[in-house]
């Protein structure tokens, strides 16, 4: 919140990382007291996970350094306590990996060095333990001139003599005493609480088939916590957790990592097997059971022959034992069922690319890509941290090219580690080329392409086809209807294929969009893989798919267009739309066409580009022309421009002059909406000429009506009126109610601007009559024009009702411009009634809206009206400031009459202030020159009274 002299951050209901550390430390103390050391370690690991690097990094204020040091000491104390517990649990590999990374940061702490020596010794690495002691002696002597403390010296002697016990360390109470010198500066709530000396935890004695853990494991804290919690016995069914995710998301790595951490909880064995479910030769359940039985001590001759008999013997063998079973790369439930234990003392982790263990009441943990910071940490651990400081931008780009996929990030890190002469920038440059990206994502036996290939080979031929088509069309995301037309199947068949791709984790579900459709997306690397596989397809098949899908998009966009325009109005068509059952929305689809067009903007733009690229120029320009009205309503200028540029290039290649004229009309309309009147005039005149050349009377009239809008805005009133009157009979003959209502409204508004109220009203009433028969965008615009007329006649209550009705109609269609002009009108009405606060509020909202949608014409109008309000209140300085700002906008837009009106208003303010009469006269001379420059006798009449600020008749 803004609160002088700065800002205030409110912390109600907020979760602080420091508070979370305190809570987790307290939980760890409770678990330690209860001798549940595994849970205590888990709590401490999560507490340490709150640190994301140096505390208050980049903050130089000295007042905070003491607090930072407190938490640095706290971090060290937690790390030492965690290592002590891990030694009690026999987790020597974890202690070695973590303390080896920790000691370079805190080299003079002796307790963690003693812990690391102990872990190395108990792991059978006596020589490494002794080497660490020698390195410690040298470090302390060179840096501090001291010898190691008594604890390290005694430990050194015990290792030399082989007298160090192979099992438990000293009691945790001793640890508390030994680390007192580390934790004395920590907050009181974090000081270690006394705990009874635990008895040694039982060391795992059963077979451990787990592959080795990795030292570069990063992130997945929440997934790990869910996984560990789900493995606990609940007194009912066997705990089964299924890790599900696309290839390369790290399912196997996470399962193995958790398996190693849970060894103490499953002392009777940790069984692991790669079922190779997606391979051509998967491991059969009989073979998996034979392996497990042999590892559990059953001689080969005693292993039964049949599957059922082996499963029974396996379950009997596991009775009353605590064994963790990891079934990696499972693909079907039948391959899992015989491998399940019978009691809840055991637990199972299944990894799969689809949910194959759901029938066993498995808890599911979904894995996706890594968040940016975790992906960067993985990259730095693999490639080396010395690269990170200088190349943070390149590192982030690498992660984006890898799509945050752990496998891909790991491969890039490994390649960088193997090529120390490479910079991250160079690696990013190599990945930038999409055609080579999958080739670059290979290192030794690791390859992203092969992991996708396993999933691809495991789906049906039709699903493979759909994936290839989705990859080639390259839509960022898509809905159900899109897939159906790509493969030319009915709804249910296409839906089944989509679900098959979801199950294989080749596409992911994004959820329902604002139109109520399910949306899906392809990972960028999957799209590249699919594009490779599509290269061998016949070009004709891809063309057919593009044609079907583009025509389907056209049919649906046409429904939305008719909703906005009230019918098939104000657009020249190519005739590419195919009537029939395939068009529009199916009966079972409960989709609002306007919401559909809003959420499918990117898809529509993509389909115009694809249709143009494959030579379907008629579909491309028809779809672009139809989308013009949709994009105009909500000021989607980028999509509008992109569709017209792609389609224009296609029609010019095809020599389609009518299509070229239609697209020039659309581009002229775009720049008219963007208030670039010079460019709009050129394009609209070219469109008008092109339509006449091809004998398209209706198209020529559409271009002429918009060219007249430019004439009016730049002050050529006579030409504007003449052109509208010329086009009006054409629209009546073609039954275009929308265009007819527009022209009648513009005629009425222009006459009203020329202070001809009597001449304006018949046109506006005719426009009102036309809009009674349809509910397009013009209906709301006509209401706003009638409101201007009523306000000019001082019938403020009726004017307010019309502005409000116009705003309702605009809001129903999402017409951002209509909403803005309605708010402006309501604000002026309030001011004319003397409701100053409400009037300024509405005009302020209008001003913000104008800036948000990029409408400088409405922005200048809002400022002019606000200036008039301040002038009436006697706040002349503020009025002058706003008028000058509005004049600057009007000058840049090339609207001379409105510019002149602002200059006259400023001169009036100067007069009222008793200011310099020469300055006021100069302003009036500049205004007269601007009006004279239009060459229009009517322009001076449009200028209106020149005495001072007045609310404009026409908004």
């Amino acid at each position: 919140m803004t609160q002088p002299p700065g800002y205030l951050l409110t912390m109600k209901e907020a979760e602080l990382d420091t508070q979370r550390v305190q809570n987790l430390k307290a939980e760890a103390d409770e678990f330690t007291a209860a001798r549940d050391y595994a849970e205590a370690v888990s709590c401490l690991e999560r507490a340490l996970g709150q640190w994301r690097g140096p505390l208050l990094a980049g903050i130089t204020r000295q007042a905070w350094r003491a607090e930072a040091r407190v938490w640095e000491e706290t971090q060290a104390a937690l790390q030492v306590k965690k290592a002590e517990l891990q030694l009690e649990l026999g987790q020597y590999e974890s202690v070695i990996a973590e303390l080896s990374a920790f000691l370079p940061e805190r080299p003079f702490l002796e307790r963690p060095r003693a812990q690391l020596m102990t872990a190395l010794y108990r792991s059978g690495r006596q020589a490494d333990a002794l080497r660490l002691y020698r390195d410690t002696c040298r470090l302390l002597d060179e840096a501090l001139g001291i010898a190691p403390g008594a604890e390290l010296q005694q430990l050194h002697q015990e290792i030399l003599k082989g007298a160090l016990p192979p099992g438990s360390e000293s009691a945790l109470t001793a640890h508390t005493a030994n680390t007192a010198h580390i934790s004395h500066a920590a907050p009181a709530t974090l000081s270690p609480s006394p705990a009874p000396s635990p008895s040694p935890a039982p060391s795992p004695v059963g077979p451990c088939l787990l592959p080795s853990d990795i030292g570069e494991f990063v992130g997945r804290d929440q997934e790990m916590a869910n996984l560990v919690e789900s493995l606990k016995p609940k007194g009912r069914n066997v705990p089964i957790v299924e890790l599900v995710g696309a290839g390369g998301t790290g399912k196997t790595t996470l399962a193995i990592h958790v398996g190693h951490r849970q060894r103490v909880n499953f002392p009777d064995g940790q069984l692991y097997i790669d079922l190779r479910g997606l391979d051509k030769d998967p491991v059969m359940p009989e073979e998996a059971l034979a392996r497990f039985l042999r590892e559990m001590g059953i001689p080969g001759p005693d292993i039964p022959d049949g599957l059922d008999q082996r499963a029974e013997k396996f379950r009997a063998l596991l009775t009353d034992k605590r064994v963790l079973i990891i079934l990696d790369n499972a693909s079907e439930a039948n391959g899992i069922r015989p491998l399940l234990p019978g009691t809840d003392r055991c637990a199972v982790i299944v990894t799969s690319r689809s949910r194959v263990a759901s029938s066993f009441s498995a808890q599911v943990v979904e894995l996706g890509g890594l968040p940016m910071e975790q992906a960067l940490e993985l990259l730095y651990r693999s490639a080396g941290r010395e690269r990170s400081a200088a190349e943070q931008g390149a590192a982030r780009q690498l992660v984006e090219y890898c799509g945050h996929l752990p496998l891909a990030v790991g491969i890039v890190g490994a390649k960088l580690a193997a090529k120390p002469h490479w910079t991250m920038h160079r690696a990013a440059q190599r990945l930038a080329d999409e055609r080579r990206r999958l080739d670059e994502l290979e290192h030794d036996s690791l390859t992203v392409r092969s992991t996708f290939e396993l999933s691809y080979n495991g789906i049906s031929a039709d699903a493979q086809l759909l994936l290839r088509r989705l990859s080639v069309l390259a839509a960022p995301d898509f809905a159900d209807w899109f897939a159906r037309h790509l493969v030319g199947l009915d709804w249910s068949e296409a839906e089944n294929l989509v679900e098959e791709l979801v199950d294989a984790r080749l596409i992911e579900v994004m959820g329902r969009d604002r139109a109520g459709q399910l949306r899906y997306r392809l990972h960028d690397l999957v799209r590249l893989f699919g594009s490779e596989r599509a290269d061998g397809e016949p070009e004709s098949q891809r063309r057919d798919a593009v044609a079907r899908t583009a025509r389907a998009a056209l049919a649906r966009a046409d429904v939305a267009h008719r909703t906005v325009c009230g019918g098939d109005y104000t657009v020249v068509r190519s005739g590419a739309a195919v009537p029939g059952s395939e068009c529009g929305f199916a009966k079972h689809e409960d989709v609002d066409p306007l919401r559909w067009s809003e959420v499918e903007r990117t898809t529509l733009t993509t389909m115009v580009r694809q249709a143009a690229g494959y030579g379907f120029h008629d579909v491309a320009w028809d779809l672009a022309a139809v989308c013009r009205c949709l994009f105009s309503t909500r000021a989607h200028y980028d999509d509008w421009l992109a569709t017209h540029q792609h389609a224009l290039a296609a029609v010019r290649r095809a020599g389609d002059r009518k299509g070229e004229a239609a697209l020039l009309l659309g581009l002229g309309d775009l720049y008219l909406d963007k208030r670039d009147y010079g460019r709009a005039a050129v394009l609209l005149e070219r469109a008008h000429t092109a339509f006449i050349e091809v004998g398209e009377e209706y198209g020529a009239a559409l271009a002429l009506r918009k060219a007249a809008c430019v004439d009016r805005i730049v002050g050529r009133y006579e030409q504007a009126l003449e052109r509208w009157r010329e086009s009006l009979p054409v629209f009546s003959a073609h039954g275009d109610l929308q265009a007819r209502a527009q022209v009648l409204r513009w005629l009425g508004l222009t006459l009203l601007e020329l202070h001809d109220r009597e001449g304006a009203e018949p046109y506006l009433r005719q426009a009102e009559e036309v809009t009674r028969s349809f509910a397009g965008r013009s209906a709301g615009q006509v209401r706003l024009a009638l409101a201007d007329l009523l306000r000019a006649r001082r019938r403020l209550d009726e004017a307010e009702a019309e502005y409000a009705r116009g705003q309702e109609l605009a809001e129903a269609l999402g017409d951002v411009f209509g909403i803005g002009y309605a708010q402006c009108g309501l604000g002026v009405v309030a001011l004319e009634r003397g409701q100053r606060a409400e009037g300024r509020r509405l005009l302020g909202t209008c001003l913000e809206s104008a800036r948000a949608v990029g409408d400088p014409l409405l922005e200048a109008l809002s400022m002019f009206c606000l200036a008039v309000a301040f002038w009436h209140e006697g706040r002349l300085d503020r009025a002058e400031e706003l008028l000058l700002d509005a004049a600057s906008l009007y000058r840049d837009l090339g609207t001379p009459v409105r510019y002149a009106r602002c200059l006259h208003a400023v001169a009036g303010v100067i007069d009222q202030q008793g200011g310099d009469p020469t300055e006021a006269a100069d302003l009036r001379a500049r205004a007269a020159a601007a009006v004279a420059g239009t060459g229009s006798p009517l322009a001076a009449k449009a200028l209106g009274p020149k005495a001072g600020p007045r609310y404009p008749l026409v908004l």
Side-chain angles (χ1 to χ4, degrees):
M1 297 185 297
T2 303
Q3 179 169 308
Y7 305 94
L8 175 68
L9 176 65
T10 58
M11 302 304 294
K12 191 180 297 181
E13 302 298 328
E15 183 178 347
L16 296 176
D17 47 10
T18 50
Q19 184 62 48
R20 182 160 173 76
V21 168
Q22 292 172 343
N23 294 340
L24 288 167
K25 171 61 174 62
E27 289 181 35
D29 289 343
E30 293 176 4
F31 283 122
T32 301
R35 300 190 178 186
D36 190 346
Y37 308 129
E39 283 302 319
V41 168
S42 177
C43 290
L44 292 171
E45 183 155 348
R46 281 179 280 155
L48 288 165
Q50 301 304 304
W51 273 267
R52 296 290 190 269
L55 191 67
L56 300 178
I59 303 298
T60 58
R61 188 171 178 180
Q62 292 301 313
W64 293 338
R65 291 310 307 160
E67 183 71 11
R69 281 194 293 272
V70 167
W71 285 102
E72 288 167 1
E73 295 301 323
T74 298
Q75 182 186 23
L78 293 175
Q79 184 67 59
V80 170
K81 181 166 185 176
K82 178 188 172 189
E84 197 74 34
L85 290 168
Q86 289 175 311
L87 287 172
E88 294 290 339
L89 294 171
Q91 297 176 353
Y92 306 129
E93 295 174 4
S94 297
V95 173
I96 293 169
E98 293 169 13
L99 291 186
S100 295
F102 172 72
L103 280 175
E105 300 174 5
R106 305 297 296 271
F108 301 118
L109 296 182
E110 294 192 23
R111 182 58 188 162
R113 287 184 176 272
Q115 292 170 325
L116 180 54
M117 286 174 62
T118 302
L120 289 168
Y121 175 77
R122 289 181 177 164
S123 299
R125 297 168 60 180
Q126 179 178 349
D128 290 334
L130 294 171
R131 184 182 302 110
L132 175 60
Y133 180 78
R134 290 194 298 272
D135 292 343
T136 302
C137 292
R138 184 168 53 254
L139 172 70
L140 295 176
D141 180 55
E142 292 175 354
L144 305 175
I146 62 174
E151 180 186 8
L152 275 176
Q153 293 185 31
Q154 181 181 352
L155 180 60
H156 178 233
Q157 291 300 317
E158 290 177 343
I159 293 175
L160 285 173
K161 298 173 183 178
L164 185 67
S168 170
E169 263 269 89
S170 58
L172 290 181
T173 50
H175 157 66
T176 302
N178 288 333
T179 56
H181 68 285
I182 296 177
S183 58
H184 71 278
T189 53
L190 282 174
S191 59
S193 57
S197 301
S199 59
S203 299
V205 296
C208 178
L209 305 186
L210 298 175
S212 62
D213 202 357
I214 62 170
E216 292 81 18
F217 192 87
V218 172
R220 303 296 194 198
D221 294 338
Q222 188 58 55
E223 293 91 339
M224 233 186 315
N226 294 340
L227 188 51
V228 170
E229 179 63 28
S230 300
L231 293 176
K232 295 178 181 178
K234 302 295 192 296
R236 299 186 300 275
N237 301 325
V238 176
I240 303 175
V241 188
E242 185 172 21
L243 289 175
V244 180
T249 51
K251 302 179 296 296
T252 299
T253 302
L254 177 57
I256 293 170
H257 185 67
V258 170
H260 278 286
R261 294 184 59 190
Q262 291 292 300
R263 286 185 63 192
V264 70
N265 293 326
F266 297 94
D268 297 312
Q270 303 85 43
L271 303 179
Y272 169 89
I273 190 166
D274 182 357
L275 295 175
R276 302 198 306 269
L278 297 177
D279 285 7
K280 294 179 180 178
D281 56 339
V283 176
M284 294 290 98
E286 298 92 329
E287 181 184 350
L289 284 169
R291 293 188 195 178
F292 285 167
L293 289 171
R294 279 194 297 269
E295 292 296 334
M296 295 295 291
I298 305 300
D302 294 341
I303 296 176
D305 291 332
L307 174 62
D308 292 342
Q309 292 78 10
R310 290 183 180 183
E312 288 173 2
K313 192 169 189 67
F314 182 59
R315 288 193 297 270
L317 189 65
L318 296 183
T319 303
D320 299 327
K321 291 185 182 294
R322 301 204 63 196
V323 174
L324 176 64
I325 303 167
I326 297 180
L327 306 176
D328 197 15
N329 290 317
S331 64
E332 58 180 17
N334 290 336
I336 297 173
R337 194 184 314 275
L339 308 179
L340 299 180
T343 66
D344 70 345
R345 289 175 58 82
C346 298
V348 181
I349 300 176
V350 179
T351 75
S352 177
R353 301 192 185 189
S354 60
R355 297 193 179 197
V356 297
S358 56
S359 58
F360 310 124
S361 302
Q363 296 293 316
V364 176
V365 177
E366 289 270 2
L367 295 187
L370 289 171
M372 174 59 78
E373 294 308 317
Q374 293 182 13
L376 286 172
E377 178 65 17
L378 175 59
L379 180 63
Y380 295 153
R381 289 193 187 182
S382 304
R385 292 188 179 278
E386 65 278 0
R387 303 174 186 262
S388 61
E391 298 191 274
Q392 291 184 4
R396 289 180 174 271
Q397 189 63 66
L398 281 172
V399 170
E400 292 296 342
Y401 285 147
C402 292
H404 296 245
L405 196 68
L407 174 62
V409 174
I411 288 173
V412 171
K415 290 183 78 170
L416 285 167
K419 297 180 181 296
H421 57 286
W422 278 18
T423 63
M424 287 191 174
H425 179 69
R426 178 177 179 180
Q429 285 182 318
R430 295 174 68 92
L431 285 176
D433 186 352
E434 288 192 348
R435 294 168 299 178
R436 294 178 50 196
R437 191 171 300 167
L438 291 180
D439 294 329
E440 289 293 327
L441 293 175
E442 294 183 6
H443 182 69
D444 291 339
S445 61
L446 298 175
T447 168
V448 169
R449 184 184 281 108
S450 63
T451 195
F452 292 153
E453 198 157 21
L454 284 173
S455 297
Y456 181 78
N457 292 337
I459 59 178
S460 67
D462 285 340
Q464 291 177 348
L465 175 64
L466 176 56
L467 180 68
R468 295 196 300 271
R469 297 279 165 80
L470 289 168
S471 301
V472 169
L473 263 69
D477 52 70
F478 63 95
D480 290 338
W481 69 271
F482 192 75
R484 171 197 172 198
H485 296 284
L486 280 179
V487 289
L489 297 174
D490 62 28
W491 282 100
S492 60
E493 291 173 319
E495 185 179 33
N496 290 340
L497 295 182
V498 170
E499 290 304 316
E500 189 175 349
L501 292 176
V502 170
D503 290 341
R505 294 306 186 270
L506 289 168
I507 62 175
E508 59 182 288
V509 182
M510 298 176 63
R512 293 200 176 272
D513 57 30
R514 285 172 292 167
Q517 305 175 121
L518 270 174
R519 298 200 76 77
Y520 310 86
R521 69 178 290 272
L522 272 75
H523 190 282
D524 285 345
L525 296 179
V526 175
R527 176 178 58 80
L528 296 178
F529 173 83
S531 298
E532 285 185 352
R533 290 298 178 272
D535 286 343
E537 283 188 19
E539 182 75 8
S540 59
Q541 294 182 11
R542 274 187 281 179
R543 283 177 52 82
D544 290 345
V546 169
R548 282 194 307 270
T549 312
R551 286 195 168 92
L554 172 59
R556 288 164 170 259
D558 187 53
V559 176
H561 159 76
R562 292 168 187 264
T563 304
V564 169
C565 296
D568 190 20
Y569 301 141
T570 65
V571 63
V572 178
R573 307 296 296 268
S574 71
V578 179
S581 60
E582 296 295 315
C583 290
F585 297 90
K587 293 181 179 179
H588 71 274
E589 289 184 276
D590 184 19
V591 177
D592 176 75
L594 295 183
R595 288 184 179 177
W596 178 88
S597 66
E598 186 68 11
V599 301
E600 296 287 10
R601 279 191 298 119
T602 304
T603 303
L604 293 170
T605 303
T606 298
M607 292 319 304
V608 171
R609 175 171 54 82
Q610 292 284 351
Y614 278 92
F616 301 110
H617 68 279
D618 55 342
V619 180
W621 77 257
D622 206 342
L623 182 54
V626 165
C627 289
R628 171 179 59 83
C629 296
L630 305 177
F631 296 156
S632 171
T633 303
R634 304 201 182 190
H636 295 314
Y637 298 137
D638 290 342
D639 300 287
W640 189 346
L641 179 62
T643 54
H644 277 62
Q645 286 178 332
H646 288 304
L648 184 60
V651 297
R652 282 174 172 167
R653 286 194 298 268
D656 186 340
R657 288 286 289 158
K658 180 179 176 181
E660 182 177 1
L663 293 165
L664 291 172
L665 168 61
L667 287 170
D669 206 359
L670 166 64
Y671 289 108
L672 183 60
D673 265 24
K674 294 182 71 173
R675 315 307 185 191
D676 187 345
Y677 300 116
R679 190 176 298 183
V682 171
L683 289 165
L684 291 168
E685 296 294 350
R686 287 172 58 192
H688 181 248
T689 301
F691 275 127
I692 290 175
E693 289 174 355
V694 297
E696 178 59 56
E697 179 191 44
Y698 172 63
L702 288 175
L704 195 65
R705 91 196 196 287
K706 284 303 181 80
C709 290
V710 176
D711 291 332
R712 175 198 169 196
I713 208 74
V714 300
R716 296 191 294 263
Y717 291 97
E718 293 85 353
Q719 183 164 298
L721 293 170
E722 180 184 352
R723 285 178 158 183
W724 280 324
R725 287 168 178 148
E726 180 184 340
S727 65
L728 195 57
V730 178
F731 299 135
S732 298
H734 283 78
D736 189 335
L737 299 180
Q738 166 101 341
R740 188 160 177 260
Q742 286 176 337
V743 170
L744 289 168
R745 176 172 66 90
W746 288 327
L747 282 165
L749 284 175
T750 303
L751 292 173
L752 185 59
E753 187 176 1
L754 295 170
H755 301 272
D756 183 1
R757 297 186 181 92
E758 302 306 321
E761 183 160 6
Y763 284 117
L764 294 178
R765 294 300 176 188
Q766 287 182 62
E768 180 185 25
E769 186 62 33
V770 171
T771 58
R772 293 185 191 279
S773 58
F774 78 105
R777 187 182 182 189
S778 282
Q781 294 170 334
V782 167
R783 305 256 60 95
L784 298 179
L786 286 169
D788 284 350
L789 175 66
L790 292 167
R791 187 173 56 81
R793 294 188 179 280
R794 306 299 301 166
R795 292 157 61 177
L796 296 182
D797 289 345
E798 295 173 72
E800 181 182 39
E802 291 291 2
Y803 283 131
R805 179 60 180 149
Q807 182 172 348
E808 290 176 6
L809 293 171
E811 288 173 345
L813 294 176
D815 180 1
V816 293
F817 299 102
I819 295 169
Y821 282 93
Q823 289 173 335
C824 185
L826 290 169
V828 171
V829 167
L831 289 170
E832 290 182 325
R833 282 177 168 166
Q835 299 168 344
R836 294 175 180 175
E838 177 64 9
R840 286 199 306 271
R841 184 190 69 80
L842 287 166
L843 286 174
T845 302
C846 178
L847 182 59
E848 291 175 5
S849 301
R851 288 169 176 166
V853 301
D855 186 354
L857 196 65
L858 179 57
E859 182 182 354
L861 175 64
S862 304
M863 288 193 291
F864 186 91
C865 293
L866 279 170
V868 177
F870 285 121
W871 181 76
H872 282 300
E873 294 177 21
R875 298 170 61 182
L876 302 182
D877 289 343
R878 181 61 177 143
E880 182 178 2
E881 179 184 348
L882 285 168
L883 287 169
L884 289 172
D885 287 343
S888 178
L889 277 177
Y890 281 135
R891 182 194 62 229
D892 293 343
L893 287 170
T895 56
V897 174
R898 288 166 174 77
Y899 171 63
R901 189 178 297 137
C902 286
L903 296 182
H904 272 295
V906 175
V909 171
I910 292 174
D911 290 342
Q912 188 166 344
Q913 288 175 321
D916 184 357
T918 303
E919 183 182 357
D922 179 64
L923 288 169
R924 292 188 175 100
R926 286 161 56 191
V931 172
T934 65
S936 167
L938 291 176
K941 187 175 181 180
L943 188 59
K946 305 173 185 179
R950 297 285 187 276
Y951 294 113
L953 290 178
V954 175
L955 302 180

